[in-house]
Amino acid sequence: MAGDEQPEMMPIPFDVPTSARAYGWMLGGKDNYAVDREFLLHTLPDFPECVDIARQNREFLFRVVRHLTQAGVRQFIDMGCGLPTDDNVHQVAQRFAPDARVVYVDIDPIVLAHAHALLADDATTTVITGDMRDQDAILDHPDVRRLIDFDEPVAVLFLSVGHHLTDADDPRRVLHTIIDRAAPGSYLGFSQVVSDDPERGAAMTAHISGSGVPWQTRTPGEVDVLLDGLAPVEPGLLNLVDWRPDADQPSLAPVHEDLAPYLGATEQNKGIYEYGGLLRKA
Ligand SMILES: C[S@@+](CC[C@H](N)C(=O)[O-])C[C@H]1O[C@@H](n2cnc3c(N)ncnc32)[C@H](O)[C@@H]1O
């Protein structure tokens, strides 16, 4: 597979929850530790929407990658890709466009460990451990140079990672660095957790960042400012459940019984949701 020459593995943290493992648990995954489960079970009473919105985001990922292949895109950089699960970006893309190429990037070393096994026989998909805040290092990575041709349209995906970029990270710079250098006709996929109620958003930010996971819940208006300069594809930037919904798309794995009581919480409470869409570079 591509991506065998990796820097020495960073240690996997066991004393703090990680986003990749907690999110993976909400998608039905099993690669998590007590610290991740305790973090979520401590978070959900105050923010019960989290299970629904994680799953709604993952369903959006399928629809957006399918749409991109139908629009002719054949190369993808998936920033903060998360732990492998069903219907990962390369599997969705290659189902509709077998020649699609994918570079996965994630800061969490557990992602690399699990993705290596999944990608063992795949020459057109690679995974690298990297920090999306260091866009220049990602652009310079040999696997990115080998698989991505910046003279052709590329899709840069920041799906459910915007909330991991705080204002101190200069998120506008992070989001625009690659797309600014990419060919016209390239796309940026984006989603993040938002709240229409700034007070509740601030409480969520304090709770999650206080647990050791970098986090900033924004308002939809704050997200719009970050993405200014790119043209949203129809139906625009909105709650992801309304982005080209498809009742026939593949379903996700069932959730663990401890999380099942929280399924459907977004029906009662619409205050916190995953917001985003797809934007095109003219
Ligand atoms: C909520 S998951 C989203 C996974 C996937 N993008 C999806 O939409 O299904 C967020 C992921 O972003 C990763 N992440 C957080 N901060 C990051 C950073 N600075 N650089 C790269 N990855 C990061 C986490 O490790 C985690 O795997």
Side-chain angles (χ1 to χ4, degrees), residues 85-188:
T85 175
D86 297 335
D87 282 327
N88 302 294
V89 167
H90 75 289
Q91 291 160 322
V92 180
Q94 291 169 2
R95 186 177 314 164
F96 298 103
D99 55 338
R101 307 184 301 284
V102 179
V103 176
Y104 289 116
V105 180
D106 204 285
I107 199 168
D108 191 329
I110 198 173
V111 170
L112 182 76
H114 286 266
H116 259 179
L118 176 71
L119 299 174
D121 300 321
D122 193 325
T124 55
T125 307
T126 192
V127 56
I128 61 179
T129 296
D131 186 335
M132 64 181 162
R133 293 168 296 185
D134 188 355
Q135 292 281 297
D136 289 333
I138 293 169
L139 278 166
D140 281 348
H141 193 284
D143 284 342
V144 174
R145 289 166 169 265
R146 182 173 56 80
L147 282 178
I148 306 295
D149 176 356
F150 284 96
D151 293 330
E152 297 291 326
V154 58
V156 192
L157 304 177
F158 289 93
L159 303 185
S160 204
V161 296
H163 41 252
H164 294 308
L165 295 168
T166 68
D167 284 350
D169 296 322
D170 190 359
R172 203 185 143 78
R173 171 192 60 80
V174 174
L175 297 173
H176 288 260
T177 301
I178 291 189
I179 198 86
D180 282 355
R181 296 188 205 177
S186 292
Y187 290 87
L188 186 83

Side-chain angles (χ1 to χ4, degrees), residues 179 186-190 227 230-233 237 277-281:
I179 198 86
S186 292
Y187 290 87
L188 186 83
F190 180 88
L227 299 170
L230 296 165
V233 170
L237 296 167
L278 185 64
L279 304 103
R280 189 168 186 274
K281 176 180 178 174

Side-chain angles (χ1 to χ4, degrees), residues 199-212:
E199 261 182 47
R200 192 148 179 256
M204 188 183 204
T205 298
H207 177 89
I208 299 181
S209 55
S211 305

